[in-house]
């Protein structure tokens, strides 16, 4: 019998790369499908309204706004700006960057899985991430969290490359990704201690060696690896100084609503991530932790740090640690790939998809967001009359609700804004109300916090409230004059 000569090593490596492409492409396709599914179903809510209206501000007004408030989201608002100016279905257009970032993160998760544990891990990790409800939720929101997740995956990929082949170019690329991560969301920098720990501990670095036929030298020594990562982080920190200075002055206005989380909030985190599929996802992650301890550190340490810091200075919210979810999916994918028999991971993945389906469907219902600003605007449009006024209490609620602009552009606004016309004091509001028979009040629930607002008290003295209707956390009431 004539033997067939073995293919050259380079040819075998090329064939392996080509065979593994679909394991990376499939998660991207699924992420795009999941992200696009029902994208325009839920109304934009309060935070999304702020994103769109700030992104549409003239640059002079935008600079003033960011100097006073929300500088931590400045880069996202600039990135959203060209999308917010496009015509077409509002929800789809302004949420599109998040959908694309979701797909990019799925690609990065799969690419990391392939590099660290082979093509099967790439496929399973990418699909798990694409199907995870929490990731899908923020893929359909006009806020920065999906972009933060994508950049966190990018930074982690560049860390692996830096530890594998330290060079000036690799150091600069990693440092730039860390700076970008911080400019998108400062709390995402909680990932960096996990990266530094990986660079410091040889046992963790060893798990980052490329597998499945990849070539190249292994990780460098401890000192060289840590020095390269630390230098990149230091450079990124210098680039973040202006943002840190601005954010420090705005902290009280930004996160005043956060409270120190208890054990109940931490215990609820798996359900926040994956709903009924949490047991499957986290069990696979635990199985993968022994095979990829570095990934376990990346996925777990930022959440633990956020929880611990929040006991002194609250910074924890599930969406603020969303960037750890792709790394959790990576860990779970590595765990699935290590299961015996190829059919077992497929069954587990199918079970996960079935378990998360109710949560995925629920995310696309009209009432799935904290506010229903679209119905609020439709109500105003249907019931407004010529001569009606609108008053926002507190004044910042104009940004919170007016993304569906039609009725707000027609109604005369009694709320004062910097550089804009309108009553500035209670006396001026009282004068502006003379001869006015109908005022629409848009506010949160008026409790002890806003009951002493000057404008609200003036309105109370002048007009009589009618029925209050709620649209999530937003309250709408019509105040009329008794003749």
């Amino acid at each position: 019998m004539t033997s067939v000569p073995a293919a050259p090593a380079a040819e075998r490596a090329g064939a392996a790369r080509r065979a593994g492409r679909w394991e990376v492409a499939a998660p991207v396709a699924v992420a795009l499908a999941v992200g696009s599914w029902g994208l325009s179903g839920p109304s934009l809510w309060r935070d999304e309204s702020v994103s769109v209206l700030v992104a549409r501000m003239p640059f002079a007004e935008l600079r003033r706004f960011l100097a006073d408030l929300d500088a931590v989201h400045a880069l996202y608002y600039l990135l959203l700006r060209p999308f917010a100016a496009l015509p077409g279905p509002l929800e789809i257009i302004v949420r599109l960057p998040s959908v694309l970032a979701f797909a990019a993160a799925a690609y990065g998760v799969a690419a990391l899985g392939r590099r660290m544990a082979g093509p099967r891990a790439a496929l399973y990790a990418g699909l798990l991430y694409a199907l995870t409800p929490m990731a899908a939720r923020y893929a359909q929101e006009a806020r920065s969290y999906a972009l933060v997740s994508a950049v966190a995956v990018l930074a982690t990929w560049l860390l692996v490359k830096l530890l594998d082949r330290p060079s000036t170019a690799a150091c600069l690329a990693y440092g730039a990704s860390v700076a970008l991560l911080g400019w998108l969301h400062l709390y995402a920098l909680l990932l960096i201690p996990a990266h530094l720990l990986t660079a410091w501990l040889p046992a963790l670095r060893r798990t980052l060696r490329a597998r499945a036929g990849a070539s190249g030298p292994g990780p460098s020594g401890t000192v060289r690896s840590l020095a390269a990562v630390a230098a990149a982080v230091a450079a990124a920190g210098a680039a973040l100084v202006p943002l840190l200075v601005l954010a420090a002055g705005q902290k009280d206005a930004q996160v005043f609503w956060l409270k120190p989380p208890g054990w109940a909030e931490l215990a609820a985190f798996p359900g926040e991530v994956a709903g009924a599929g949490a047991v499957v996802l986290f069990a696979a992650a635990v199985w993968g932790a022994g095979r990829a301890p570095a990934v376990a550190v990346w996925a777990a340490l930022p959440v633990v740090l956020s929880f611990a810091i929040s006991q002194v200075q609250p910074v924890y919210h599930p969406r603020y640690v969303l960037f750890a979810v792709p790394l959790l999916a990576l860990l779970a994918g590595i765990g699935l790939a290590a299961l015996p028999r190829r059919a077992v991971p497929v069954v587990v993945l199918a079970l996960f998809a079935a378990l998360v389906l109710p949560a995925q469907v629920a995310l696309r219902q009209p009432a799935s967001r904290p506010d229903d600003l679209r119905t609020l605007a439709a109500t105003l449009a249907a019931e407004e009359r010529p001569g009606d006024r609108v008053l926002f209490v507190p004044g910042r609620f104009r940004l919170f609700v007016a993304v569906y602009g039609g009725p707000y552009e027609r109604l005369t606004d009694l709320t004062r804004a910097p550089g804009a016309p309108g009553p500035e004091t209670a006396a001026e509001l009282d004068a502006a109300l003379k001869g006015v028979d109908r005022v629409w009040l848009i506010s949160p629930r008026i409790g002890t916090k806003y009951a002493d607002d000057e404008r609200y008290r003036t309105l109370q003295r002048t007009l009589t409230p009618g029925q209050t209707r709620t649209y999530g956390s937003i309250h709408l009431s019509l105040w009329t004059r008794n003749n």
Side-chain angles (χ1 to χ4, degrees):
M1 174 183 278
T2 304
S3 61
V4 178
E11 183 179 330
R12 292 198 305 272
R17 283 194 296 271
R18 288 191 295 273
R21 284 175 184 167
W22 77 272
E23 284 93 346
V24 175
V28 175
V30 172
L32 286 172
V34 170
S36 302
W37 169 29
L39 186 59
S40 62
S43 162
L44 299 179
W45 71 288
R46 180 173 57 247
D47 284 8
E48 293 181 287
S49 176
V50 174
S51 292
V52 176
L53 292 177
V54 173
R56 289 174 171 172
M57 285 179 177
F59 277 111
E61 186 180 350
L62 178 62
R63 283 196 299 270
R64 289 194 299 270
F65 175 82
L66 294 176
D68 294 333
L69 186 70
D70 235 11
V72 291
H73 296 300
L75 179 58
Y76 174 71
Y77 294 146
L78 291 173
L79 293 173
L80 184 63
R81 194 174 182 87
F83 292 88
L86 292 174
L90 179 62
E91 297 89 356
I92 293 175
I93 289 168
V94 298
R95 289 168 173 167
L96 182 60
S98 294
V99 174
L100 297 176
F102 178 48
Y107 173 85
V109 168
L112 276 168
R114 183 172 61 182
R115 182 183 182 107
M116 298 181 65
R120 291 174 63 213
L123 178 64
Y124 301 148
L127 290 178
L128 283 169
Y129 179 66
L131 294 171
T132 298
M134 186 178 184
R137 159 72 172 83
Y138 290 101
Q140 297 194 329
E141 180 163 309
R143 294 295 281 176
S144 66
Y145 306 111
L147 277 74
V148 171
S149 294
V151 174
V153 173
L154 173 64
T156 304
W157 169 262
L158 292 172
L159 170 77
V160 173
K161 291 192 68 174
L162 175 59
L163 293 178
D164 192 43
R165 290 177 179 269
S167 67
T168 301
C171 188
L172 290 173
Y174 174 67
S177 70
V178 172
L180 179 60
L181 185 65
W183 272 96
L184 281 171
H185 205 278
L186 284 173
Y187 293 168
L189 294 176
L190 290 174
L191 177 63
I192 306 310
H195 283 183
L196 290 169
L197 193 61
T198 305
W200 180 44
L201 296 178
L204 295 181
R205 289 203 319 279
R206 280 195 294 271
T207 69
L208 303 183
R209 293 191 62 110
R211 300 180 184 179
S215 60
S220 307
T222 299
V223 174
R224 188 179 177 196
S225 297
L226 184 58
V229 176
V233 170
L240 287 165
V241 167
L243 179 62
L244 290 168
V245 171
L246 275 173
Q250 297 176 0
K251 175 173 65 68
D252 292 341
Q254 281 290 317
V255 294
F256 67 91
W257 53 275
L258 289 174
K259 307 297 180 189
W263 292 110
E265 285 79 6
L266 189 61
F269 181 67
E272 293 268 1
V273 172
V279 173
V280 173
L281 182 66
F282 281 80
V286 170
W287 187 255
R291 291 151 183 82
V295 183
V297 171
W298 299 338
L301 188 59
V303 180
V304 172
L305 287 175
S306 179
F307 181 81
I309 293 168
S310 293
Q311 305 311 309
V312 179
Q313 172 60 55
V315 296
Y316 175 81
H317 190 280
R319 66 174 177 259
Y320 293 166
V321 290
L322 176 69
F323 63 88
V325 172
L327 303 172
L328 174 66
L330 172 62
L331 186 62
I334 292 172
L336 286 188
L339 291 173
R341 300 187 181 182
R342 294 202 172 193
V344 175
V346 174
V347 171
V348 173
L349 192 60
L351 175 62
F352 179 74
L355 289 172
V356 301
L357 183 59
Q360 291 281 7
V361 172
L363 288 175
R364 289 153 179 86
Q365 301 306 306
S368 64
R369 299 300 189 265
D371 311 308
D372 185 357
L373 303 184
R374 187 167 54 203
T375 303
L376 168 62
T379 301
L380 276 176
E383 299 184 15
E384 64 176 327
R385 297 179 186 172
D388 283 4
R389 307 290 195 267
V390 63
L391 177 67
F392 300 92
V393 175
R396 66 175 180 271
F397 258 60
R398 178 197 282 111
L399 273 179
F400 285 3
V401 306
V403 65
Y404 296 99
Y408 306 104
E409 293 165 2
R410 292 187 295 269
L411 290 166
T412 300
D413 190 357
L414 295 175
T415 312
R416 178 76 176 186
E424 185 168 12
T425 67
E428 289 174 341
L429 176 60
D430 189 53
L433 287 172
K434 293 188 182 305
V436 173
D437 293 328
R438 289 163 46 102
V439 174
W440 295 96
L441 175 66
I442 299 176
S443 68
R445 183 179 64 86
I446 300 291
T448 55
K449 186 171 183 179
Y450 299 113
D452 291 334
D453 186 283
E454 284 188 349
R455 293 173 180 82
Y456 177 66
R457 291 168 64 183
T458 301
L459 192 66
Q460 274 187 312
R461 290 194 301 268
T462 309
L463 302 175
T464 303
Q467 176 189 6
T468 296
R469 286 170 283 185
T470 60
Y471 302 85
S473 62
I474 308 296
H475 289 60
L476 172 70
S477 58
L478 177 62
W479 293 62
T480 59
R481 187 180 300 278
N482 291 326
N483 296 323

